[in-house]
Amino acid sequence: MDYMTTAEIREAYLRYFEEKGNKRMPSSSLIPDDPSLLLTSAGMVQFKPYFLQQKQLEEPYVGTTTVQKCVRTNDIDIIGTTGRHLSFFEMLGNFSFGKYFKREMCSMALDFSVNVLGLPIEKLHFTVFENDDETIGIWKDLGIEDSHISRLGEDDNFWRAGPTGPCGPCSELYYDQGPDFGCGSPDCAPGCDCDRYLEYWNCVFTQFDGQEDGTLEELPKKNIDTGMGLERIAAIMQGVQSNYETDVLRSLIAVGERLAGVTYGKDSATDLSLRIMADHSRAVTFMIADGILPSNEGRGYVLRRLLRRAIMKAHLIGVDGPFLNEYVDEIVRLMGDVYPEIVENRELERKLILAEEERFGATLRQGKTYLESELSKLEGKTLSGKTAFTLHDTYGFPVEITAEIAGEQGIDIDMDAFDAAMADQRERARSAGAKDAEAAWSTYGGIYADILNEVGPTSFVGYDNTESSSRILAIVKQGDRVDSASAGEEVEIVLDITPFYAEMGGEVGDTGQIVNGDVKARVGDTTTPESGLYIHACKIEGGTLSVGDNVIAAVDVDRRRAIERNHTGTHILHAALRKVLGDHVKQAGSYVGPDRLRFDFTHFEALTPEQIREVESVANDKIMQGIPTSTYETTLDEARAKGVTALFGEKYGEKVRVVEAGEFSQELCGGCHVNNTAEIGFMKVTGESSVGANLRRIEAVTSFGALAYVNKIEDELKETAAELKVPMFDVSERTAANLKAFKEIQQAAKRAKETVSDDGITALLDQAVEAPAGYPLIIAKAPALESGGQRHLWDVMRSRMSEPGAIVVAGEHDGKVVLMAAGTDEAVAKGFDANALIKAMGPAIGGGGGGKPTMAQAGGKNAAGIDDALEIARNMLL
């Protein structure tokens, strides 16, 4: 056999099955359409509706063939420890939905293996379900010797989705790598745990429907579901011992060698880190390209965990600081021609990964702090396995890092407890994975799928018409099909033709009415629970509507036009954000209603007011240029080649619809739009906020909604101006002045409160002495107060003094000095004269003042003279 690159094997497989009558299909997204699945982990996922006979493959195709990108992380901690386990891998597959079965499949599998790949037939071995004599006979008919066919039990060679449902026997193809790879046992054969016999292709013959009592009923249409691991067959074709030594992964390992300054194959621990860095970086790049963002739950948690595991393994071999974008660039170089989405989203991939690396740096510091705290509290020389697992699970610390840090202090780890916690976690992951596999084959769609199969897809004419002559094909009431509905009933109506747009892509569903003479149904919403089937949620307002009735379906035109203005507005806004912020901006969600629009996008920090103003300006410039819009259909590949923006994380079929607003905006979109940007009127941004890590949200209004928003602001401004008694455009200046004055009053009140606080009064009372004239006297520094505050201070002091007396205080604030002298009538009668004191003290502070014998004040600017002024008072009174 000749050496073949991964790319050559991939293309050879697809071309072979395409020539056999199978339709070549693109890989589906790593985000499966089925909400019961976390990630796409097998080639059959996108074909589930075909296997369940909810969709039919068009003629003349006999099946399909794909190369499916997959992510599996049930055993994430095993990845890298063997040569076979990967988190991201490519699965070559071919699928038949009742057109060909066992004999054709076995014949093609053998033909491709021997005559296309050139595998020596004497090195091929075949396992078959122990009771599947039919398949054994087929392999013998194809020339396979008995010694190369093995019967295995249900655990190995019978595929089930769950306790019930589609199932069937398997036949697996193995390649004999030779005794050097084996365990040495004379009984070694395919199915052995050693590496001698390498399984590279699994052919599942789905022919039964498993019943609850355990019996198997023949399916009316028998299916083929196959999977060949691209990395595994590449290892065979390239004569290497593991997936990691194949051309693509070995190139990624070389990136790690360069970053760390190490050589692969010299040290087992270093090799493990290099394998994990190579594998995880590829998974991360493809997950982000398909719309998965780092988070603390679901798919985002898987992504974040892979990222952090790669970073920690890099740390072990001396790679510090951000580095993963070196891998992104190499992955794009190696695989970008096959998977254009990783090229289109390259800037986003780079920025997201860099942000996560920086974020994890902070988490690492927290983890180290946690570990150091646990070590400081430790009694003895063994760290608990629970602590080590917490560091692993919460902070992303591999146990090797924990052991390294603990070992520096002579502390071991309870590895038995750690391993037990890890085993529990793996079991939980496997259980979840098993449930996902079962859910992947569970029947879904219910009544809507039945209706779709019976009446076919709805013909949508709403791009060009807001009214149509239609016929009622089905009526659903509370989950059951009915023949008719009368006044007051709420039902769902299926039409053969509809102008009503169903809620999709962020755009809300149309409303309006369905009319038959005097009979009218108010349409409150339009949805599409099954692709192609439009459901009109209605309330019958008069008369009776029946299946088979001819009706007029009319959309609420004013509402639709408002929605169109906002939808085209989101396209203009998207392009403006990319122009102002950069190409990393990708739409990550939207809401388009008649009253407003909401646009979520990838970005890493809050927009500044200046950026928001610039985005708004760019958008309105394009709106007011009056750019004609246009739509056309093309293939996804052609659209990508033209640079049309594909929405982040969105899944597309082979045919796509492009909406253009000149050269400024070209997007794939199935929604309703204006004919010219001028119809939008103008756009006003009403808010910008965060909706998660690396995600921002802009809210805006257009047209009459924008006018209403601006009018509301103007009304508020006019009302405020009237209250302030200033012209409208002086409101901000007057408000600022009022706020300044208010803050000064607050500060003065605060100082007064502090001065007359219990502690402040006590401190002053503690300084009281007995004047020679026979009354209590306080001469001291106190915080400067407004005149009212000075009087208040005296009132409080007088009430707290043990007997009638007098005070002399001095204080300074903002460069101004205030003096105050005050005494009771009893003190004045004994010779105290506040007026005389203040006149004598004033010159010391560069000012003056006066008053009455019972109270007098002075002000000045010489704070340095406060002590002199108080000394003058002491000399006069003591």
Side-chain angles (χ1 to χ4, degrees), residues 544-560:
T544 298
L545 287 176
S546 302
V547 174
D549 283 355
N550 292 316
V551 295
I552 299 296
V555 172
D556 182 335
V557 175
D558 289 342
R559 182 176 181 273
R560 164 73 83 80

PDB file of all heavy atoms in Angstrom, residues 544-560:
ATOM      1  N   THR A 544     -67.373  29.261  11.472  1.00  0.00           N
ATOM      2  CA  THR A 544     -66.653  27.995  11.595  1.00  0.00           C
ATOM      3  C   THR A 544     -65.715  27.815  10.415  1.00  0.00           C
ATOM      4  O   THR A 544     -66.106  28.047   9.253  1.00  0.00           O
ATOM      5  CB  THR A 544     -67.647  26.808  11.627  1.00  0.00           C
ATOM      6  OG1 THR A 544     -68.489  26.948  12.774  1.00  0.00           O
ATOM      7  CG2 THR A 544     -66.905  25.482  11.713  1.00  0.00           C
ATOM      8  N   LEU A 545     -64.490  27.388  10.699  1.00  0.00           N
ATOM      9  CA  LEU A 545     -63.512  27.049   9.665  1.00  0.00           C
ATOM     10  C   LEU A 545     -63.286  25.550   9.693  1.00  0.00           C
ATOM     11  O   LEU A 545     -63.181  24.947  10.773  1.00  0.00           O
ATOM     12  CB  LEU A 545     -62.187  27.781   9.892  1.00  0.00           C
ATOM     13  CG  LEU A 545     -62.166  29.285   9.587  1.00  0.00           C
ATOM     14  CD1 LEU A 545     -60.807  29.874   9.952  1.00  0.00           C
ATOM     15  CD2 LEU A 545     -62.473  29.550   8.114  1.00  0.00           C
ATOM     16  N   SER A 546     -63.197  24.938   8.504  1.00  0.00           N
ATOM     17  CA  SER A 546     -63.045  23.484   8.421  1.00  0.00           C
ATOM     18  C   SER A 546     -61.879  23.124   7.507  1.00  0.00           C
ATOM     19  O   SER A 546     -61.482  23.910   6.627  1.00  0.00           O
ATOM     20  CB  SER A 546     -64.324  22.836   7.875  1.00  0.00           C
ATOM     21  OG  SER A 546     -65.427  23.149   8.692  1.00  0.00           O
ATOM     22  N   VAL A 547     -61.333  21.928   7.729  1.00  0.00           N
ATOM     23  CA  VAL A 547     -60.299  21.411   6.838  1.00  0.00           C
ATOM     24  C   VAL A 547     -60.866  21.328   5.424  1.00  0.00           C
ATOM     25  O   VAL A 547     -61.984  20.845   5.213  1.00  0.00           O
ATOM     26  CB  VAL A 547     -59.819  20.022   7.311  1.00  0.00           C
ATOM     27  CG1 VAL A 547     -58.857  19.421   6.298  1.00  0.00           C
ATOM     28  CG2 VAL A 547     -59.168  20.126   8.682  1.00  0.00           C
ATOM     29  N   GLY A 548     -60.116  21.808   4.446  1.00  0.00           N
ATOM     30  CA  GLY A 548     -60.566  21.829   3.059  1.00  0.00           C
ATOM     31  C   GLY A 548     -61.129  23.161   2.626  1.00  0.00           C
ATOM     32  O   GLY A 548     -61.307  23.393   1.416  1.00  0.00           O
ATOM     33  N   ASP A 549     -61.427  24.077   3.571  1.00  0.00           N
ATOM     34  CA  ASP A 549     -61.969  25.397   3.213  1.00  0.00           C
ATOM     35  C   ASP A 549     -60.942  26.200   2.420  1.00  0.00           C
ATOM     36  O   ASP A 549     -59.741  26.179   2.706  1.00  0.00           O
ATOM     37  CB  ASP A 549     -62.327  26.192   4.469  1.00  0.00           C
ATOM     38  CG  ASP A 549     -63.634  25.733   5.104  1.00  0.00           C
ATOM     39  OD1 ASP A 549     -64.295  24.869   4.504  1.00  0.00           O
ATOM     40  OD2 ASP A 549     -63.960  26.234   6.206  1.00  0.00           O
ATOM     41  N   ASN A 550     -61.461  26.929   1.433  1.00  0.00           N
ATOM     42  CA  ASN A 550     -60.639  27.907   0.727  1.00  0.00           C
ATOM     43  C   ASN A 550     -60.740  29.238   1.466  1.00  0.00           C
ATOM     44  O   ASN A 550     -61.850  29.689   1.788  1.00  0.00           O
ATOM     45  CB  ASN A 550     -61.104  28.069  -0.717  1.00  0.00           C
ATOM     46  CG  ASN A 550     -60.850  26.815  -1.532  1.00  0.00           C
ATOM     47  OD1 ASN A 550     -59.786  26.221  -1.444  1.00  0.00           O
ATOM     48  ND2 ASN A 550     -61.848  26.400  -2.314  1.00  0.00           N
ATOM     49  N   VAL A 551     -59.625  29.873   1.744  1.00  0.00           N
ATOM     50  CA  VAL A 551     -59.609  31.078   2.582  1.00  0.00           C
ATOM     51  C   VAL A 551     -58.674  32.123   1.971  1.00  0.00           C
ATOM     52  O   VAL A 551     -57.880  31.829   1.069  1.00  0.00           O
ATOM     53  CB  VAL A 551     -59.128  30.746   4.018  1.00  0.00           C
ATOM     54  CG1 VAL A 551     -60.106  29.824   4.725  1.00  0.00           C
ATOM     55  CG2 VAL A 551     -57.734  30.132   3.996  1.00  0.00           C
ATOM     56  N   ILE A 552     -58.779  33.321   2.503  1.00  0.00           N
ATOM     57  CA  ILE A 552     -57.833  34.387   2.196  1.00  0.00           C
ATOM     58  C   ILE A 552     -56.958  34.589   3.435  1.00  0.00           C
ATOM     59  O   ILE A 552     -57.473  34.823   4.537  1.00  0.00           O
ATOM     60  CB  ILE A 552     -58.545  35.711   1.852  1.00  0.00           C
ATOM     61  CG1 ILE A 552     -59.435  35.524   0.615  1.00  0.00           C
ATOM     62  CG2 ILE A 552     -57.522  36.818   1.631  1.00  0.00           C
ATOM     63  CD1 ILE A 552     -58.670  35.177  -0.641  1.00  0.00           C
ATOM     64  N   ALA A 553     -55.651  34.464   3.264  1.00  0.00           N
ATOM     65  CA  ALA A 553     -54.697  34.680   4.364  1.00  0.00           C
ATOM     66  C   ALA A 553     -54.049  36.037   4.170  1.00  0.00           C
ATOM     67  O   ALA A 553     -53.438  36.299   3.126  1.00  0.00           O
ATOM     68  CB  ALA A 553     -53.636  33.581   4.363  1.00  0.00           C
ATOM     69  N   ALA A 554     -54.211  36.933   5.156  1.00  0.00           N
ATOM     70  CA  ALA A 554     -53.731  38.310   5.025  1.00  0.00           C
ATOM     71  C   ALA A 554     -52.876  38.699   6.219  1.00  0.00           C
ATOM     72  O   ALA A 554     -53.307  38.579   7.374  1.00  0.00           O
ATOM     73  CB  ALA A 554     -54.916  39.267   4.890  1.00  0.00           C
ATOM     74  N   VAL A 555     -51.685  39.166   5.941  1.00  0.00           N
ATOM     75  CA  VAL A 555     -50.731  39.583   6.969  1.00  0.00           C
ATOM     76  C   VAL A 555     -51.053  40.995   7.425  1.00  0.00           C
ATOM     77  O   VAL A 555     -51.513  41.834   6.634  1.00  0.00           O
ATOM     78  CB  VAL A 555     -49.289  39.522   6.413  1.00  0.00           C
ATOM     79  CG1 VAL A 555     -48.295  40.136   7.382  1.00  0.00           C
ATOM     80  CG2 VAL A 555     -48.908  38.085   6.088  1.00  0.00           C
ATOM     81  N   ASP A 556     -50.844  41.297   8.701  1.00  0.00           N
ATOM     82  CA  ASP A 556     -50.926  42.672   9.227  1.00  0.00           C
ATOM     83  C   ASP A 556     -49.776  43.458   8.599  1.00  0.00           C
ATOM     84  O   ASP A 556     -48.619  43.352   9.012  1.00  0.00           O
ATOM     85  CB  ASP A 556     -50.798  42.639  10.753  1.00  0.00           C
ATOM     86  CG  ASP A 556     -50.913  44.022  11.374  1.00  0.00           C
ATOM     87  OD1 ASP A 556     -50.629  45.023  10.685  1.00  0.00           O
ATOM     88  OD2 ASP A 556     -51.239  44.108  12.573  1.00  0.00           O
ATOM     89  N   VAL A 557     -50.101  44.256   7.576  1.00  0.00           N
ATOM     90  CA  VAL A 557     -49.078  44.885   6.741  1.00  0.00           C
ATOM     91  C   VAL A 557     -48.257  45.903   7.514  1.00  0.00           C
ATOM     92  O   VAL A 557     -47.019  45.936   7.395  1.00  0.00           O
ATOM     93  CB  VAL A 557     -49.727  45.535   5.499  1.00  0.00           C
ATOM     94  CG1 VAL A 557     -48.674  46.293   4.689  1.00  0.00           C
ATOM     95  CG2 VAL A 557     -50.390  44.474   4.638  1.00  0.00           C
ATOM     96  N   ASP A 558     -48.897  46.758   8.299  1.00  0.00           N
ATOM     97  CA  ASP A 558     -48.158  47.789   9.027  1.00  0.00           C
ATOM     98  C   ASP A 558     -47.139  47.152   9.975  1.00  0.00           C
ATOM     99  O   ASP A 558     -46.001  47.615  10.097  1.00  0.00           O
ATOM    100  CB  ASP A 558     -49.115  48.686   9.811  1.00  0.00           C
ATOM    101  CG  ASP A 558     -49.933  49.585   8.896  1.00  0.00           C
ATOM    102  OD1 ASP A 558     -49.529  49.761   7.722  1.00  0.00           O
ATOM    103  OD2 ASP A 558     -50.972  50.099   9.355  1.00  0.00           O
ATOM    104  N   ARG A 559     -47.558  46.087  10.645  1.00  0.00           N
ATOM    105  CA  ARG A 559     -46.651  45.401  11.563  1.00  0.00           C
ATOM    106  C   ARG A 559     -45.494  44.763  10.799  1.00  0.00           C
ATOM    107  O   ARG A 559     -44.340  44.852  11.207  1.00  0.00           O
ATOM    108  CB  ARG A 559     -47.418  44.335  12.354  1.00  0.00           C
ATOM    109  CG  ARG A 559     -46.589  43.583  13.388  1.00  0.00           C
ATOM    110  CD  ARG A 559     -47.478  42.625  14.164  1.00  0.00           C
ATOM    111  NE  ARG A 559     -46.750  41.893  15.197  1.00  0.00           N
ATOM    112  CZ  ARG A 559     -46.104  40.748  14.992  1.00  0.00           C
ATOM    113  NH1 ARG A 559     -46.096  40.209  13.766  1.00  0.00           N
ATOM    114  NH2 ARG A 559     -45.469  40.151  15.976  1.00  0.00           N
ATOM    115  N   ARG A 560     -45.800  44.113   9.661  1.00  0.00           N
ATOM    116  CA  ARG A 560     -44.748  43.491   8.846  1.00  0.00           C
ATOM    117  C   ARG A 560     -43.743  44.537   8.375  1.00  0.00           C
ATOM    118  O   ARG A 560     -42.529  44.303   8.416  1.00  0.00           O
ATOM    119  CB  ARG A 560     -45.376  42.772   7.656  1.00  0.00           C
ATOM    120  CG  ARG A 560     -44.374  42.437   6.544  1.00  0.00           C
ATOM    121  CD  ARG A 560     -43.438  41.308   6.880  1.00  0.00           C
ATOM    122  NE  ARG A 560     -44.074  40.043   6.630  1.00  0.00           N
ATOM    123  CZ  ARG A 560     -44.190  39.485   5.421  1.00  0.00           C
ATOM    124  NH1 ARG A 560     -43.690  40.084   4.351  1.00  0.00           N
ATOM    125  NH2 ARG A 560     -44.803  38.326   5.289  1.00  0.00           N
TER     126      ARG A 560
END
